[in-house]
Amino acid sequence: MNETIAKEHLSEEQIDQDLLKNVNWGGKFKLWMGFLTVSLIICLYYYYQQLQNGLGVTGLHDYVSWGIYISNFVFFVATSLIGMLVSSVLGMMKVDWVRPVSRIAELVAVAFAMVAGLIIITDMGRPDRLLNVFIHGRVQSPIVWDIAVVVTYVAISALLLYIPMLPDIALCRDKLNNVPKWQQKMYQRLSLGWNNTAKQFRLMNRYTRMLLILIIPIALSIHTVTSWLFAMTLRSGWDSPIFGPYFVSGAFVAGCAAVIIAMYFFRSNYKLKDYITSDHFDRMGKLLVLVALVYVYFNINEIIVPGYKANTADAKHVHEMLYGHDSVMFWLVQLGGLVIPFLLILFRPMRKPLPLTIIAVIILAGAWFKRVLIVVPTQLAPYYPIQNVPEAWSGYSPTTPEIAITIASFILVLMIITVLAKLFPVVPIWEVKEEMNHNNNK
Amino acid sequence: MKNNKRYKLIILFCLCFLAVANVNAQSDWQVPAKDNENLSPFLFDDDMILEGRVAYENSCTSCHGTPGQDDFTPMSPPPGDPAAEQFQAQSDGSLFYKIKMGRASMPKFEDAFADDELWNIVAYIRSFNENYKQQLPNMEGVEIPVYAMKLSFDQNVDKLVVKVLAEELPQAEVSVSAYVMGTFGKHLLGKAQTNELGIAYVDVDPALPGDAEGKVNVLVKATKEFARAKVQQDLAIAMPTEIHSAIEGRHIWSTDRMAPIWLKITFFVSVFGVWFALLFIVFGLRNIKRAREES
């Protein structure tokens, strides 16, 4: 028994009350949503510009045709992978302490995966031709695999969020009498007539287990295939056989950081200190150390193997990173965004909620720029020299519309998480109760 | 101290000498009057210019640089830029003579190029001069034979056989050059002189790839003094080669319809398999609803 889930002092009513408290449309929520909406509209204005004038409004050009849109896409897919790690891998290994935070991980996964698909569309000059990808796509193309696997992952994550939530939806249906009519109706429909029968639990557990197993290969594929978008080409810096595991391990780092930030936010805003304890942060911090260590290991491989060679294009790419054109960003990202934070969280005090959250924010920012470093410099070093083209094409810097549209993707994620976290309890109530009863009976 | 001064003096003297020698050398390249008036028997057309350019880029750029760019190698005497006045002010015959005979560090190209090839280079040099008007020789009284050529292939010794005739009579000592026409220009197969039977033999590499029947398009030129002739014809002298389209067959890189079977199966089985499982779960949700009614 561990202290994370030791809630003997709480009654069931108390738990219901605590955890259902956040399901309301308070003033704070309206203010926050209002702010997000206004920001989104401003950003959408830039997307309108891009629709009208084409990708010319971005900093993309013939050489760098994948800029921060695609780096951002990679980042989003990466972050969404955490749902699989927390709810599936740890869940099936019966690591009990993750149960209260598994829904938060799933929320993060669903939101980031959904928006990742949209980001791809923003990178298209003619989104009206999107259907052509499905009509004329070649099965041989990693892009087609990517679409298939992203769509599938969104579906599985959504189901994995929904099905284990059935008892809680039923609870909302029964307990929340002062919410708007449409909301009551929604709970009514979504709860599928749940009334806690043993058979219902059995079915729910069976389907959940199926999903937990399914999601492992799908989640691994989603990010492996994303890495193949790069690794299947013959370009220096991308042409690497370890790109799949390299991406997956990096994904867990970004995802862990995102979940820690979300945990902190919910814990302080929804007053969930009894449910998301500092022990949870401590353990998430340790998990982060583990995944960061794996990621550091892959980073070393990615750098030293091509970098050791004298004069290959890949070596040049690595040298450009280590002490060339991209070195400032590279060292900021590697040391500031990965190694130093990782060393810091080795110390217990740094795994307390606030310091850990601050470190997580830095890691997440580093993870974002890391994707830019993976995507952009390779395209600026083609095998044929860049010549007889406008001066600006030998570099890349994102324009205001590009940045605004990228910010819009983050706003969308926040909106999705915010709304879902207002409709449903963010900590699985029935699981907390079950855990408590289980402990009490021991 | 004193020594040093003398040393400097010697250097100065040497430099002066070099400069004077230099000027001397430059002004001094006398071309015999007859050679100076020599004219090209061929009209400088685009074909000649192009061939001259290839020869120039292979044999002259290293010292004379790219014409018009003044990027010749600094030497003494300086080679000069062929597009410049120094070259263009001279007669065709003078350029021809100087390239052919050479002097000091300007190599002698007599053995490297046949006369018509030297004229190609002159044509190329002239192409940088907008005001140039070619002067053609007075051909009155000069009988220029009209060559006909017969091409065949001797399989036993892998040789292209070129027979040069003028009015049915075999022509000896005619320079023959044979080329294979490729997509990006012609490739030299070989050069030879006709014997007293009017026949020249050019070696053919038996591994040369041809079309499905072993045919390649061959261009043969024959020149002697003012006479010039060209034939171009398909000959089965090369190795029969079957050319495959790069996207023929089932490959990763072919069209969607020709995707490898293993890939199609893997992709569709995985995608449909997973979605089948998902639909199974979604439809299974009805069982949860039914489970309530039972209780």
Side-chain angles (χ1 to χ4, degrees), chain B residues 276-291:
Chain B
F276 179 79
L278 288 188
L279 288 179
F280 173 81
I281 292 172
V282 169
F283 285 113
L285 291 177
R286 281 182 323 188
N287 297 337
I288 293 185
K289 204 164 195 171
R290 252 183 245 131

Side-chain angles (χ1 to χ4, degrees), chain A residues 137-140 144-145 148 151-152 155-156 159 162-163 166 192-195 197 199-200 203-204 206-207 210-211 214 218, chain B residues 251-256 258-260 263-264 267-268 271 274-275 277-278 280-282 284-285 287-289 291-292 294-295:
Chain A
R138 295 163 67 243
V139 239
Q140 297 104 308
V144 167
W145 311 341
V151 172
T152 312
I156 298 193
L159 281 176
Y162 171 56
I163 295 180
L166 282 170
L192 301 176
W194 185 274
N195 59 352
T197 65
K199 184 158 187 214
Q200 281 179 327
L203 281 168
M204 182 188 79
R206 178 153 107 219
Y207 294 143
M210 277 180 68
L211 286 171
L214 260 182
I218 298 296
Chain B
H251 300 296
I252 285 287
W253 56 87
S254 33
T255 54
D256 180 52
M258 293 301 281
L263 181 66
K264 278 196 172 174
F267 181 78
F268 288 111
V271 170
V274 171
W275 277 91
L278 288 188
F280 173 81
I281 292 172
V282 169
L285 291 177
N287 297 337
I288 293 185
K289 204 164 195 171
R292 174 182 83 138
E294 274 167 28
S295 64

Side-chain angles (χ1 to χ4, degrees), chain B residues 153-173:
Chain B
F153 180 60
D154 187 338
Q155 265 187 341
N156 297 323
V157 287
D158 283 322
K159 278 184 198 297
L160 176 67
V161 183
V162 181
K163 186 161 189 183
V164 183
L165 302 160
E167 290 166 7
E168 309 287 318
L169 294 174
Q171 302 291 308
E173 282 173 27

